[in-house]
Amino acid sequence: MALLVLKFGGTSVADLERIRNAALHVKREVEAGHACAVVVSAMAGQTNQLVGWVEEAWGYEERQQNGEDASAHYDGREYDAVVSSGEQVTSGLLAIVLQAMGVKARSWQGWQIPLRTDSAHRAARIIGIDVEELKGRLNGGEVAVVAGFQGIAPENRISTLGRGGSDTSAVALGAALQAERCDIYTDVDGVYTTDPKIVPRAHRLDRISYEEMLEMASLGAKVLQTRSVELAMQRGVRVLVRSSFDHPGYGGQPPEHGVEGLGTLVCHEDEIVEQNVVSGIAYARDEAKVTLLKIADKPGVAAQVFGPLASANINVDMIVQNVSEDGYTDLTFTVQGSDLDRALEVLRKAQDRIGYFDLRGSTDIAKVSAIGVGMRSHAGVAAQMFSALAEKGINIEAISTSEIKISVLIDAAYAELAVRTLHSLFGLDSRERP
Ligand code: ADP
Ligand code: ASP
Ligand code: MG
Protein backbone atom coordinates (compact mmCIF):
# COMPACT_ATOMS: atom_id res chain seq x y z
CA MET A 1 0.00 0.00 0.00
CA ALA A 2 1.43 3.36 -1.02
CA LEU A 3 0.96 6.59 0.85
CA LEU A 4 -0.05 9.50 -1.36
CA VAL A 5 -0.50 13.20 -0.72
CA LEU A 6 -3.17 14.78 -2.93
CA LYS A 7 -3.47 18.57 -3.04
CA PHE A 8 -6.45 20.42 -4.51
CA GLY A 9 -6.04 24.12 -5.41
CA GLY A 10 -8.65 26.85 -5.19
CA THR A 11 -10.34 26.28 -8.55
CA SER A 12 -10.53 22.55 -7.79
CA VAL A 13 -12.60 23.20 -4.64
CA ALA A 14 -14.37 26.35 -5.86
CA ASP A 15 -17.86 25.07 -4.99
CA LEU A 16 -19.59 21.96 -3.68
CA GLU A 17 -19.77 20.33 -7.08
CA ARG A 18 -16.01 20.68 -7.51
CA ILE A 19 -15.44 19.46 -3.95
CA ARG A 20 -17.47 16.35 -4.84
CA ASN A 21 -15.32 15.91 -7.92
CA ALA A 22 -12.16 16.20 -5.79
CA ALA A 23 -13.63 13.64 -3.40
CA LEU A 24 -14.07 11.21 -6.31
CA HIS A 25 -10.35 11.49 -7.08
CA VAL A 26 -9.60 10.70 -3.43
CA LYS A 27 -12.07 7.81 -3.40
CA ARG A 28 -10.44 6.33 -6.50
CA GLU A 29 -7.03 6.30 -4.80
CA VAL A 30 -8.50 4.87 -1.59
CA GLU A 31 -10.17 2.10 -3.58
CA ALA A 32 -6.83 1.38 -5.29
CA GLY A 33 -5.57 0.63 -1.79
CA HIS A 34 -3.62 3.81 -1.05
CA ALA A 35 -3.41 5.71 2.22
CA CYS A 36 -4.32 9.31 1.41
CA ALA A 37 -3.47 12.61 3.03
CA VAL A 38 -5.34 15.36 1.20
CA VAL A 39 -4.36 19.04 1.35
CA VAL A 40 -6.89 21.67 0.32
CA SER A 41 -6.77 25.35 -0.58
CA ALA A 42 -9.58 27.79 0.08
CA MET A 43 -12.34 28.10 -2.52
CA ALA A 44 -11.12 30.16 -5.51
CA GLY A 45 -11.29 33.90 -4.74
CA GLN A 46 -11.88 33.36 -1.03
CA THR A 47 -8.39 34.26 0.15
CA ASN A 48 -8.44 37.47 -1.93
CA GLN A 49 -11.71 38.41 -0.32
CA LEU A 50 -10.37 37.74 3.17
CA VAL A 51 -7.22 39.79 2.48
CA GLY A 52 -9.46 42.60 1.17
CA TRP A 53 -11.49 42.59 4.38
CA VAL A 54 -8.34 42.74 6.50
CA GLU A 55 -7.08 45.74 4.55
CA GLU A 56 -10.44 47.45 4.74
CA ALA A 57 -10.66 46.86 8.49
CA TRP A 58 -7.27 48.51 8.90
CA GLY A 59 -8.11 51.41 6.56
CA TYR A 60 -5.04 50.50 4.55
CA GLU A 61 -5.76 52.58 1.44
CA GLU A 62 -6.64 55.74 3.36
CA ARG A 63 -3.47 55.38 5.39
CA GLN A 64 -1.41 55.12 2.22
CA GLN A 65 -3.18 58.11 0.68
CA ASN A 66 -2.42 60.10 3.82
CA GLY A 67 1.26 59.38 3.27
CA GLU A 68 1.57 57.14 6.32
CA ASP A 69 4.56 54.79 6.35
CA ALA A 70 3.27 51.82 4.33
CA SER A 71 5.59 49.54 6.29
CA ALA A 72 3.55 50.16 9.45
CA HIS A 73 1.44 47.15 8.56
CA TYR A 74 -1.58 45.75 10.34
CA ASP A 75 -1.01 42.95 12.84
CA GLY A 76 0.24 39.91 10.88
CA ARG A 77 -1.09 37.52 13.54
CA GLU A 78 -4.63 38.79 13.02
CA TYR A 79 -4.18 38.75 9.24
CA ASP A 80 -3.28 35.06 9.58
CA ALA A 81 -6.25 34.39 11.88
CA VAL A 82 -8.54 35.77 9.19
CA VAL A 83 -7.03 34.51 5.94
CA SER A 84 -6.40 30.97 7.17
CA SER A 85 -10.15 30.50 7.62
CA GLY A 86 -10.81 29.74 3.93
CA GLU A 87 -8.93 26.45 4.22
CA GLN A 88 -10.76 25.55 7.43
CA VAL A 89 -14.03 25.64 5.49
CA THR A 90 -12.88 23.52 2.53
CA SER A 91 -11.15 20.89 4.72
CA GLY A 92 -14.35 20.38 6.71
CA LEU A 93 -16.52 20.30 3.60
CA LEU A 94 -14.31 17.77 1.81
CA ALA A 95 -14.27 15.54 4.91
CA ILE A 96 -18.08 15.65 5.03
CA VAL A 97 -18.43 14.89 1.32
CA LEU A 98 -16.02 11.94 1.66
CA GLN A 99 -17.99 10.63 4.65
CA ALA A 100 -21.19 10.98 2.63
CA MET A 101 -19.57 8.76 -0.02
CA GLY A 102 -18.76 6.16 2.59
CA VAL A 103 -15.03 7.03 2.83
CA LYS A 104 -13.63 7.34 6.36
CA ALA A 105 -12.21 10.87 6.71
CA ARG A 106 -11.56 13.73 9.12
CA SER A 107 -10.29 17.28 8.76
CA TRP A 108 -7.09 18.61 10.35
CA GLN A 109 -6.24 22.25 10.93
CA GLY A 110 -2.56 23.21 10.98
CA TRP A 111 -2.55 23.57 14.79
CA GLN A 112 -4.20 20.19 15.28
CA ILE A 113 -1.47 18.20 13.50
CA PRO A 114 0.54 20.30 14.54
CA LEU A 115 2.36 21.77 11.56
CA ARG A 116 4.83 24.08 13.28
CA THR A 117 6.20 27.23 11.63
CA ASP A 118 8.44 30.13 12.61
CA SER A 119 6.82 33.39 13.67
CA ALA A 120 7.19 35.26 10.35
CA HIS A 121 3.43 35.80 10.08
CA ARG A 122 1.95 36.15 6.57
CA ALA A 123 4.89 34.23 5.04
CA ALA A 124 5.95 31.76 7.72
CA ARG A 125 8.37 28.89 7.11
CA ILE A 126 7.58 25.35 8.17
CA ILE A 127 9.94 24.09 10.87
CA GLY A 128 8.43 20.68 11.56
CA ILE A 129 5.37 18.47 11.28
CA ASP A 130 4.45 15.94 13.97
CA VAL A 131 3.04 13.15 11.89
CA GLU A 132 2.80 10.35 14.48
CA GLU A 133 -0.93 10.55 15.06
CA LEU A 134 -1.66 11.32 11.44
CA LYS A 135 0.33 8.28 10.35
CA GLY A 136 -1.56 6.01 12.74
CA ARG A 137 -4.89 7.20 11.40
CA LEU A 138 -3.76 6.90 7.77
CA ASN A 139 -2.59 3.35 8.36
CA GLY A 140 -5.99 2.65 9.90
CA GLY A 141 -7.59 3.60 6.57
CA GLU A 142 -8.80 7.09 7.48
CA VAL A 143 -8.29 9.89 4.96
CA ALA A 144 -6.69 12.97 6.52
CA VAL A 145 -8.04 16.18 4.99
CA VAL A 146 -5.52 18.85 5.91
CA ALA A 147 -6.16 22.59 5.68
CA GLY A 148 -3.32 23.90 3.49
CA PHE A 149 -1.54 27.25 3.79
CA GLN A 150 -1.66 27.32 7.60
CA GLY A 151 0.36 26.23 10.62
CA ILE A 152 1.04 27.21 14.18
CA ALA A 153 3.73 29.67 15.25
CA PRO A 154 5.83 29.27 18.44
CA GLU A 155 3.61 31.71 20.39
CA ASN A 156 0.63 29.44 19.75
CA ARG A 157 -0.84 31.73 17.11
CA ILE A 158 -2.10 30.62 13.69
CA SER A 159 0.38 31.36 10.90
CA THR A 160 0.12 31.26 7.09
CA LEU A 161 2.76 30.32 4.54
CA GLY A 162 2.47 33.10 1.93
CA ARG A 163 0.16 33.21 -1.08
CA GLY A 164 0.00 29.92 -2.93
CA GLY A 165 1.29 28.22 0.24
CA SER A 166 -0.89 25.10 0.10
CA ASP A 167 1.56 23.67 -2.43
CA THR A 168 4.22 23.94 0.27
CA SER A 169 1.93 22.38 2.89
CA ALA A 170 1.44 19.42 0.54
CA VAL A 171 5.11 18.89 -0.27
CA ALA A 172 6.13 19.29 3.38
CA LEU A 173 3.55 16.72 4.38
CA GLY A 174 4.77 14.45 1.58
CA ALA A 175 8.32 14.72 2.96
CA ALA A 176 7.29 14.17 6.58
CA LEU A 177 5.12 11.15 5.70
CA GLN A 178 7.68 9.83 3.20
CA ALA A 179 4.91 9.67 0.66
CA GLU A 180 5.33 7.78 -2.58
CA ARG A 181 4.24 10.91 -4.44
CA CYS A 182 2.64 14.29 -3.99
CA ASP A 183 -0.09 14.90 -6.57
CA ILE A 184 -0.90 18.57 -7.15
CA TYR A 185 -4.39 18.71 -8.68
CA THR A 186 -5.04 22.03 -10.39
CA ASP A 187 -6.89 23.61 -13.33
CA VAL A 188 -4.25 22.63 -15.93
CA ASP A 189 -3.15 19.09 -16.65
CA GLY A 190 0.53 19.72 -15.96
CA VAL A 191 3.42 22.11 -16.29
CA TYR A 192 3.50 23.65 -19.74
CA THR A 193 6.35 25.16 -21.73
CA THR A 194 4.80 28.49 -20.81
CA ASP A 195 1.50 29.70 -19.34
CA PRO A 196 -1.10 28.02 -21.60
CA LYS A 197 -3.46 30.94 -20.95
CA ILE A 198 -1.02 33.23 -22.83
CA VAL A 199 0.30 30.86 -25.50
CA PRO A 200 -2.30 28.35 -26.71
CA ARG A 201 0.47 26.51 -28.58
CA ALA A 202 2.29 25.75 -25.32
CA HIS A 203 2.63 22.04 -24.69
CA ARG A 204 2.71 19.96 -21.57
CA LEU A 205 6.05 18.63 -20.38
CA ASP A 206 6.07 14.96 -19.33
CA ARG A 207 8.86 15.67 -16.89
CA ILE A 208 10.67 18.73 -15.62
CA SER A 209 13.71 18.84 -13.34
CA TYR A 210 13.47 20.37 -9.86
CA GLU A 211 15.99 23.02 -10.87
CA GLU A 212 14.07 24.11 -13.94
CA MET A 213 10.77 24.10 -12.05
CA LEU A 214 12.37 26.20 -9.33
CA GLU A 215 13.44 28.81 -11.89
CA MET A 216 10.06 28.67 -13.66
CA ALA A 217 8.21 29.21 -10.38
CA SER A 218 10.45 31.96 -9.06
CA LEU A 219 10.38 33.73 -12.45
CA GLY A 220 6.62 33.90 -12.53
CA ALA A 221 5.01 30.55 -13.42
CA LYS A 222 2.66 30.40 -10.47
CA VAL A 223 1.59 26.80 -11.10
CA LEU A 224 3.65 25.83 -8.02
CA GLN A 225 4.73 28.04 -5.13
CA THR A 226 8.53 28.51 -5.28
CA ARG A 227 9.07 27.26 -1.74
CA SER A 228 7.25 24.03 -2.49
CA VAL A 229 9.68 23.28 -5.30
CA GLU A 230 12.67 24.16 -3.12
CA LEU A 231 11.41 21.76 -0.48
CA ALA A 232 10.63 18.99 -2.97
CA MET A 233 14.16 19.29 -4.35
CA GLN A 234 15.80 19.22 -0.91
CA ARG A 235 13.76 16.30 0.35
CA GLY A 236 13.45 14.37 -2.92
CA VAL A 237 9.63 14.45 -2.99
CA ARG A 238 8.25 13.33 -6.36
CA VAL A 239 5.63 15.87 -7.40
CA LEU A 240 3.03 15.20 -10.08
CA VAL A 241 1.13 18.23 -11.40
CA ARG A 242 -2.19 17.05 -12.85
CA SER A 243 -5.71 18.18 -13.57
CA SER A 244 -8.61 17.82 -11.17
CA PHE A 245 -10.94 18.30 -14.14
CA ASP A 246 -9.93 15.01 -15.74
CA HIS A 247 -12.57 12.40 -15.19
CA PRO A 248 -11.94 11.17 -11.64
CA GLY A 249 -11.97 7.56 -12.81
CA TYR A 250 -9.20 8.32 -15.30
CA GLY A 251 -5.63 7.55 -14.37
CA GLY A 252 -6.49 5.30 -11.51
CA GLN A 253 -3.85 2.73 -12.37
CA PRO A 254 -1.62 1.73 -9.47
CA PRO A 255 1.88 3.31 -9.33
CA GLU A 256 3.68 0.30 -10.79
CA HIS A 257 2.14 1.24 -14.13
CA GLY A 258 3.84 4.62 -13.89
CA VAL A 259 2.41 8.08 -14.00
CA GLU A 260 3.37 8.99 -17.57
CA GLY A 261 0.57 10.73 -19.37
CA LEU A 262 -1.27 11.73 -16.19
CA GLY A 263 0.48 15.07 -15.83
CA THR A 264 3.97 16.48 -15.35
CA LEU A 265 6.40 14.78 -13.01
CA VAL A 266 8.82 17.12 -11.24
CA CYS A 267 11.90 14.99 -10.58
CA HIS A 268 15.71 14.79 -10.61
CA GLU A 269 17.43 15.83 -13.82
CA ASP A 270 18.94 12.36 -14.35
CA GLU A 271 15.44 10.86 -14.56
CA ILE A 272 14.81 12.85 -17.74
CA VAL A 273 16.06 11.18 -20.89
CA GLU A 274 15.27 13.71 -23.60
CA GLN A 275 16.37 17.19 -22.61
CA ASN A 276 15.71 20.38 -24.59
CA VAL A 277 18.12 23.31 -24.50
CA VAL A 278 15.26 25.53 -23.35
CA SER A 279 12.40 23.82 -21.49
CA GLY A 280 10.16 26.76 -20.80
CA ILE A 281 9.47 30.49 -20.93
CA ALA A 282 8.26 32.33 -17.83
CA TYR A 283 7.10 35.88 -17.37
CA ALA A 284 6.33 38.11 -14.43
CA ARG A 285 4.67 41.47 -14.20
CA ASP A 286 4.98 42.04 -10.49
CA GLU A 287 8.33 43.79 -10.52
CA ALA A 288 8.93 47.52 -10.65
CA LYS A 289 11.84 49.49 -12.08
CA VAL A 290 13.77 52.17 -10.21
CA THR A 291 16.19 54.48 -12.00
CA LEU A 292 18.66 56.87 -10.38
CA LEU A 293 19.98 59.42 -12.86
CA LYS A 294 23.35 61.11 -12.79
CA ILE A 295 25.06 59.72 -9.75
CA ALA A 296 28.67 60.82 -9.30
CA ASP A 297 30.79 57.87 -10.48
CA LYS A 298 32.95 57.16 -7.44
CA PRO A 299 33.74 54.13 -5.26
CA GLY A 300 31.12 53.19 -2.70
CA VAL A 301 28.10 54.57 -4.54
CA ALA A 302 26.48 51.17 -5.10
CA ALA A 303 26.80 50.42 -1.40
CA GLN A 304 25.17 53.75 -0.56
CA VAL A 305 22.22 52.91 -2.79
CA PHE A 306 21.72 49.24 -1.92
CA GLY A 307 22.67 49.43 1.77
CA PRO A 308 19.59 51.41 2.88
CA LEU A 309 17.34 49.26 0.68
CA ALA A 310 18.68 46.09 2.30
CA SER A 311 18.18 47.61 5.77
CA ALA A 312 14.56 48.28 4.82
CA ASN A 313 14.24 44.60 3.83
CA ILE A 314 13.70 45.41 0.16
CA ASN A 315 15.00 42.77 -2.24
CA VAL A 316 16.67 43.97 -5.40
CA ASP A 317 16.61 41.75 -8.45
CA MET A 318 18.12 42.95 -11.75
CA ILE A 319 20.73 45.71 -11.76
CA VAL A 320 22.17 47.72 -14.68
CA GLN A 321 24.72 50.47 -14.39
CA ASN A 322 25.63 52.84 -17.25
CA VAL A 323 28.66 55.05 -16.89
CA SER A 324 28.71 58.04 -19.20
CA GLU A 325 31.75 59.99 -20.36
CA ASP A 326 30.91 63.04 -18.28
CA GLY A 327 31.75 61.07 -15.13
CA TYR A 328 28.18 60.29 -14.10
CA THR A 329 26.45 56.94 -13.65
CA ASP A 330 22.82 55.96 -14.25
CA LEU A 331 21.66 53.06 -12.14
CA THR A 332 18.56 50.99 -12.94
CA PHE A 333 17.32 48.07 -10.86
CA THR A 334 14.12 46.18 -10.10
CA VAL A 335 12.25 45.51 -6.85
CA GLN A 336 8.96 43.75 -6.12
CA GLY A 337 6.09 45.97 -7.28
CA SER A 338 4.65 46.03 -3.77
CA ASP A 339 7.97 47.45 -2.47
CA LEU A 340 8.22 50.29 -5.01
CA ASP A 341 6.77 53.08 -2.85
CA ARG A 342 8.94 52.10 0.06
CA ALA A 343 12.05 51.88 -2.13
CA LEU A 344 11.45 55.38 -3.53
CA GLU A 345 10.91 56.72 -0.04
CA VAL A 346 14.16 55.17 1.24
CA LEU A 347 16.13 56.57 -1.72
CA ARG A 348 14.61 60.03 -1.38
CA LYS A 349 15.74 60.12 2.22
CA ALA A 350 19.24 59.07 1.16
CA GLN A 351 19.49 61.58 -1.73
CA ASP A 352 22.07 63.83 -0.06
CA ARG A 353 24.33 60.93 0.79
CA ILE A 354 24.09 59.26 -2.61
CA GLY A 355 24.10 62.50 -4.57
CA TYR A 356 21.90 61.67 -7.55
CA PHE A 357 20.16 64.12 -9.85
CA ASP A 358 16.79 62.47 -10.42
CA LEU A 359 14.84 59.42 -9.23
CA ARG A 360 12.19 57.52 -11.24
CA GLY A 361 9.97 54.55 -10.57
CA SER A 362 7.77 52.59 -12.95
CA THR A 363 5.63 49.48 -12.87
CA ASP A 364 5.11 49.26 -16.65
CA ILE A 365 7.68 46.54 -17.05
CA ALA A 366 7.76 42.78 -17.42
CA LYS A 367 10.45 40.20 -16.93
CA VAL A 368 10.57 37.43 -19.50
CA SER A 369 12.85 34.43 -18.97
CA ALA A 370 14.02 31.39 -20.89
CA ILE A 371 14.84 28.40 -18.70
CA GLY A 372 16.61 25.13 -19.44
CA VAL A 373 19.32 22.94 -17.92
CA GLY A 374 20.50 22.37 -21.51
CA MET A 375 21.95 25.91 -21.48
CA ARG A 376 24.84 24.60 -19.41
CA SER A 377 26.18 22.79 -22.43
CA HIS A 378 24.96 25.11 -25.22
CA ALA A 379 26.56 28.43 -26.04
CA GLY A 380 24.78 31.22 -27.90
CA VAL A 381 21.31 30.93 -26.36
CA ALA A 382 21.44 34.53 -25.09
CA ALA A 383 22.55 35.89 -28.47
CA GLN A 384 19.70 34.04 -30.21
CA MET A 385 17.23 35.40 -27.70
CA PHE A 386 18.40 39.02 -27.98
CA SER A 387 18.30 39.07 -31.77
CA ALA A 388 14.83 37.49 -31.91
CA LEU A 389 13.53 40.21 -29.57
CA ALA A 390 15.32 42.93 -31.55
CA GLU A 391 13.68 41.71 -34.76
CA LYS A 392 10.29 42.32 -33.14
CA GLY A 393 11.39 45.80 -32.07
CA ILE A 394 11.41 44.88 -28.39
CA ASN A 395 13.90 46.92 -26.36
CA ILE A 396 15.79 45.17 -23.56
CA GLU A 397 16.20 47.35 -20.47
CA ALA A 398 18.09 44.94 -18.25
CA ILE A 399 19.45 41.41 -18.36
CA SER A 400 20.23 38.82 -15.72
CA THR A 401 21.48 35.28 -16.17
CA SER A 402 22.29 32.14 -14.26
CA GLU A 403 23.65 28.82 -15.47
CA ILE A 404 20.18 27.69 -16.55
CA LYS A 405 18.21 30.88 -17.24
CA ILE A 406 18.31 34.18 -19.08
CA SER A 407 15.93 36.96 -18.03
CA VAL A 408 15.26 40.23 -19.80
CA LEU A 409 13.40 43.26 -18.58
CA ILE A 410 11.11 44.85 -21.19
CA ASP A 411 8.18 47.22 -21.56
CA ALA A 412 5.05 45.50 -20.16
CA ALA A 413 3.14 46.17 -23.38
CA TYR A 414 5.42 43.70 -25.19
CA ALA A 415 5.29 40.90 -22.62
CA GLU A 416 2.98 38.57 -24.52
CA LEU A 417 4.71 39.18 -27.84
CA ALA A 418 8.08 38.44 -26.23
CA VAL A 419 6.80 35.22 -24.63
CA ARG A 420 5.32 34.01 -27.92
CA THR A 421 8.45 34.99 -29.87
CA LEU A 422 10.78 33.08 -27.53
CA HIS A 423 8.42 30.14 -27.33
CA SER A 424 8.62 29.75 -31.13
CA LEU A 425 12.32 30.56 -31.29
CA PHE A 426 13.25 27.68 -29.01
CA GLY A 427 11.01 25.19 -30.82
CA LEU A 428 8.47 24.86 -28.05
CA ASP A 429 5.30 25.50 -30.09
CA SER A 430 2.85 22.58 -29.92
CA ARG A 431 4.70 19.28 -30.17
CA GLU A 432 7.64 20.29 -32.35
CA ARG A 433 11.06 19.88 -30.72
CA PRO A 434 14.33 21.63 -31.64
P1 ADP B 1 -4.28 26.35 -7.90
O1 ADP B 1 -5.42 27.21 -7.52
O2 ADP B 1 -4.68 24.97 -8.26
O3 ADP B 1 -3.16 26.38 -6.91
P2 ADP B 1 -2.86 28.22 -9.60
O4 ADP B 1 -3.76 29.24 -10.22
O5 ADP B 1 -2.06 28.62 -8.43
O6 ADP B 1 -3.75 26.93 -9.28
O7 ADP B 1 -1.87 27.63 -10.70
C1 ADP B 1 -2.35 27.12 -11.92
C2 ADP B 1 -2.22 28.18 -13.02
O8 ADP B 1 -0.85 28.43 -13.28
C3 ADP B 1 -2.75 27.74 -14.37
O9 ADP B 1 -4.13 28.01 -14.50
C4 ADP B 1 -1.92 28.55 -15.37
O10 ADP B 1 -2.61 29.66 -15.89
C5 ADP B 1 -0.76 29.08 -14.51
N1 ADP B 1 0.53 28.82 -15.14
C6 ADP B 1 1.51 29.75 -15.30
N2 ADP B 1 2.56 29.22 -15.92
C7 ADP B 1 2.27 27.92 -16.16
C8 ADP B 1 2.96 26.84 -16.78
N3 ADP B 1 4.21 27.00 -17.27
N4 ADP B 1 2.37 25.64 -16.83
C9 ADP B 1 1.12 25.46 -16.33
N5 ADP B 1 0.40 26.45 -15.75
C10 ADP B 1 0.96 27.66 -15.66
N1 ASP C 1 -5.59 30.02 -0.39
C1 ASP C 1 -4.22 30.49 -0.39
C2 ASP C 1 -3.99 31.52 -1.48
O1 ASP C 1 -4.89 31.82 -2.23
C3 ASP C 1 -3.23 29.37 -0.47
C4 ASP C 1 -3.27 28.56 -1.73
O2 ASP C 1 -4.25 28.60 -2.48
O3 ASP C 1 -2.30 27.82 -1.98
O4 ASP C 1 -2.92 32.05 -1.56
MG1 MG D 1 -1.56 27.75 -6.57
Side-chain angles (χ1 to χ4, degrees):
M1 185 179 84
L3 195 157
L4 298 180
V5 174
L6 291 76
K7 179 255 171 178
F8 293 91
T11 39
S12 307
V13 292
D15 52 36
L16 270 177
E17 197 190 325
R18 298 245 175 110
I19 292 178
R20 280 198 193 96
N21 179 68
L24 290 173
H25 281 286
V26 178
K27 187 165 185 261
R28 181 197 66 227
E29 299 296 1
V30 169
E31 286 171 353
H34 301 140
C36 295
V38 184
V39 174
V40 286
S41 293
M43 291 179 180
Q46 191 63 43
T47 310
N48 286 346
Q49 183 171 53
L50 293 166
V51 171
W53 283 341
V54 169
E55 292 189 346
E56 213 180 310
W58 176 242
Y60 189 72
E61 252 178 55
E62 295 79 9
R63 283 170 192 270
Q64 264 193 330
Q65 279 159 9
N66 294 340
E68 256 182 60
D69 183 1
S71 62
H73 254 305
Y74 39 76
D75 187 339
R77 294 161 300 190
E78 301 308 348
Y79 167 99
D80 282 348
V82 176
V83 303
S84 61
S85 64
E87 275 73 9
Q88 176 163 349
V89 172
T90 46
S91 58
L93 289 174
L94 180 56
I96 294 172
V97 170
L98 284 166
Q99 289 166 3
M101 288 176 180
V103 177
K104 218 159 67 157
R106 74 152 272 193
S107 66
W108 296 81
Q109 305 309 301
W111 64 269
Q112 290 172 319
I113 297 176
L115 183 151
R116 286 173 288 106
T117 72
D118 63 15
S119 52
H121 286 275
R122 295 156 50 97
R125 277 187 176 270
I126 298 175
I127 50 184
I129 311 181
D130 301 343
V131 287
E132 278 325 297
E133 170 148 23
L134 213 57
K135 247 185 182 160
R137 304 266 197 135
L138 289 169
N139 289 334
E142 186 177 274
V143 172
V145 187
V146 176
F149 181 51
Q150 52 163 274
I152 181 147
E155 305 78 21
N156 240 6
R157 303 289 302 261
I158 294 173
S159 51
T160 62
L161 310 177
R163 296 305 305 271
S166 315
D167 295 328
T168 302
S169 312
V171 171
L173 205 56
L177 291 167
Q178 294 170 304
E180 165 97 17
R181 222 174 55 228
C182 180
D183 284 358
I184 305 284
Y185 286 85
T186 182
D187 59 356
V188 271
D189 62 357
V191 178
Y192 276 65
T193 45
T194 193
D195 189 343
K197 284 181 187 149
I198 302 287
V199 182
R201 282 197 286 177
H203 72 266
R204 188 181 74 194
L205 297 161
D206 290 332
R207 294 183 175 214
I208 185 167
S209 67
Y210 290 119
E211 276 180 299
E212 287 170 320
M213 191 64 238
L214 193 58
E215 292 282 12
M216 291 268 275
S218 67
L219 294 169
K222 65 164 190 160
V223 60
L224 288 175
Q225 197 200 32
T226 306
R227 266 188 206 172
S228 73
V229 187
E230 231 164 49
L231 197 60
M233 184 158 92
Q234 277 164 9
R235 306 285 299 268
V237 179
R238 292 166 76 76
V239 172
L240 182 70
V241 179
R242 59 192 296 181
S243 170
S244 66
F245 300 139
D246 283 341
H247 187 273
Y250 166 74
Q253 66 263 57
E256 60 268 26
H257 293 152
V259 292
E260 305 304 334
L262 294 184
T264 302
L265 187 70
V266 189
C267 59
H268 286 296
E269 199 178 320
D270 53 16
E271 290 181 71
I272 304 175
V273 187
E274 194 193 340
Q275 195 60 262
N276 289 334
V277 177
V278 171
S279 300
I281 311 294
Y283 76 99
R285 285 206 174 131
D286 53 2
E287 285 190 29
K289 181 178 73 168
V290 177
T291 303
L292 289 163
L293 291 167
K294 283 198 160 192
I295 312 171
D297 189 23
K298 55 178 198 289
V301 164
Q304 271 167 358
V305 172
F306 296 117
L309 291 170
S311 308
N313 238 335
I314 296 171
N315 280 324
V316 171
D317 181 20
M318 303 169 109
I319 302 175
V320 201
Q321 191 177 10
N322 295 315
V323 182
S324 60
E325 282 178 4
D326 55 9
Y328 287 110
T329 293
D330 291 344
L331 191 64
T332 297
F333 55 89
T334 62
V335 296
Q336 276 300 303
S338 52
D339 286 337
L340 177 64
D341 290 344
R342 259 181 347 114
L344 294 176
E345 185 61 34
V346 165
L347 293 170
R348 256 180 231 119
K349 281 189 185 146
Q351 178 164 16
D352 288 345
R353 239 173 316 129
I354 304 168
Y356 60 82
F357 181 71
D358 199 5
L359 169 66
R360 291 180 195 160
S362 139
T363 51
D364 284 341
I365 51 148
K367 184 168 67 174
V368 178
S369 312
I371 296 132
V373 289
M375 282 187 206
R376 285 198 200 110
S377 48
H378 278 78
V381 178
Q384 260 182 294
M385 182 163 162
F386 302 154
S387 48
L389 294 173
E391 265 171 39
K392 299 279 177 189
I394 301 171
N395 186 38
I396 299 172
E397 301 188 33
I399 300 166
S400 72
T401 64
S402 79
E403 224 189 0
I404 66 162
K405 74 113 203 271
I406 301 162
S407 301
V408 293
L409 191 71
I410 59 168
D411 187 328
Y414 294 105
E416 291 184 14
L417 176 62
V419 171
R420 283 199 304 270
T421 301
L422 299 179
H423 197 265
S424 301
L425 173 71
F426 294 115
L428 300 173
D429 285 349
S430 60
R431 292 231 58 97
E432 66 179 88
R433 295 285 164 106

